Amino acid sequence: GAVVSQHPSWVICKSGTSVKIECRSLDFQATTMFWYRQFPKQSLMLMATSNEGSKATYEQGVEKDKFLINHASLTLSTLTVTSAHPEDSSFYICSARSGSLGGETQYFGPGTRLLVL
Amino acid sequence: RKEVEQDPGPFNVPEGATVAFNCTYSNSASQSFFWYRQDCRKEPKLLMSVYSSGNEDGRFTAQLNRASQYISLLIRDSKLSDSATYLCVVNRRGGADGLTFGKGTHLIIQP
């Protein structure tokens, strides 16, 4: 149980395009989803916290107008990287949390590798 | 000062040896502590939570010292499959907050 999927697993796009990444909790309802990114040889960094039906809370330094987050249901959150540029190339990982599964454990998706040319 | 600091390694250890990793965190208000494992180009996977009383899961033992803001992980009888990056992770406000990750310690178990 507690499986989180992400789609796509990798994407290559041209500079200036927008990319949407989906994060789904497959067998549980995620009251909270988190979005992280990881640059090569760096730690995972929290980008934003998303609660179903409300606006996401962004970490300092993360542009909310560039990284659009929608958490429309208890099983789906999307991250849209708008007008992507090469410096946005990174490994984007979501996690989902459900209190009903016990405690504060976050279950991670497999990640999405974004390469902006 | 970084929120979570770890020695990046790499630690090169022969199979069967015991290896220990340490981590320090800066936020004294931190509430929950974890060790995650991350394999190359994969997502992190929870290895174990860390409690003040210390806890053990098979070959893995974790310790937390709140006074020193220090977390440790001990791996006994290391296996080749233990080769990975071990991430020290802190949750500032319990489950309500996202996780703060260290950069990780790279472990290589050699045959």
Side-chain angles (χ1 to χ4, degrees):
Chain A
V3 177
V4 176
S5 70
Q6 273 185 249
H7 178 79
S9 56
W10 59 270
V11 59
I12 301 173
C13 68
K14 292 182 180 179
S15 186
T17 58
S18 293
V19 176
K20 180 187 279 188
I21 302 170
E22 292 187 350
C23 175
R24 292 182 186 272
S25 55
L26 298 184
D27 49 3
F28 67 101
Q29 292 187 324
T31 48
T32 306
M33 286 186 169
F34 303 89
W35 286 96
Y36 298 83
R37 66 181 166 184
Q38 185 177 33
F39 294 106
K41 299 189 187 298
Q42 299 297 314
S43 57
L44 273 81
M45 295 296 292
L46 178 66
M47 297 176 68
T49 301
S50 168
N51 290 295
E52 185 263 341
S54 61
K55 289 184 179 179
T57 301
Y58 290 81
E59 293 298 299
Q60 192 172 12
V62 179
E63 299 175 55
K64 63 179 182 179
D65 294 328
K66 180 167 181 64
F67 298 99
L68 302 178
I69 292 172
N70 185 303
H71 191 165
S73 77
L74 285 172
T75 60
L76 172 65
S77 176
T78 60
L79 168 68
T80 300
V81 183
T82 61
S83 187
H85 290 282
E87 59 266 28
D88 298 323
S89 299
S90 188
F91 187 39
Y92 291 86
I93 309 175
C94 72
S95 71
R97 173 185 168 268
S98 170
S100 64
L101 289 178
E104 54 204 56
T105 301
Q106 293 184 24
Y107 300 91
F108 283 84
T112 298
R113 293 205 175 272
L114 171 63
L115 176 61
V116 185
L117 302 176
Chain B
R1 182 183 172 189
K2 291 180 183 159
E3 285 198 58
V4 180
E5 296 212 52
Q6 295 180 250
D7 180 344
F11 283 43
N12 288 280
V13 174
E15 191 176 6
T18 296
V19 59
F21 305 139
N22 304 318
C23 157
T24 57
Y25 61 95
S26 61
N27 188 344
S28 59
S30 299
Q31 303 236 350
S32 306
F33 310 88
F34 311 90
W35 282 102
Y36 276 75
R37 168 193 171 129
Q38 186 174 27
D39 293 289
C40 187
R41 303 179 72 81
K42 298 285 189 181
E43 78 276 21
K45 293 189 186 296
L46 178 65
L47 183 63
M48 58 197 304
S49 300
V50 188
Y51 305 110
S52 298
S53 55
N55 48 300
E56 188 174 308
D57 182 1
R59 298 181 292 109
F60 299 85
T61 302
Q63 290 277 357
L64 166 65
N65 184 321
R66 283 188 184 269
S68 302
Q69 295 179 203
Y70 172 96
I71 305 164
S72 66
L73 176 68
L74 184 77
I75 304 175
R76 291 181 299 278
D77 187 25
S78 52
K79 312 290 185 191
L80 295 176
S81 56
D82 293 334
S83 297
T85 297
Y86 290 82
L87 309 174
C88 180
V89 183
V90 171
N91 185 322
R92 287 167 288 175
R93 293 188 297 148
D97 216 356
L99 300 174
T100 301
F101 286 80
K103 286 181 68 172
T105 298
H106 188 40
L107 173 66
I108 301 169
I109 304 298
Q110 297 173 328

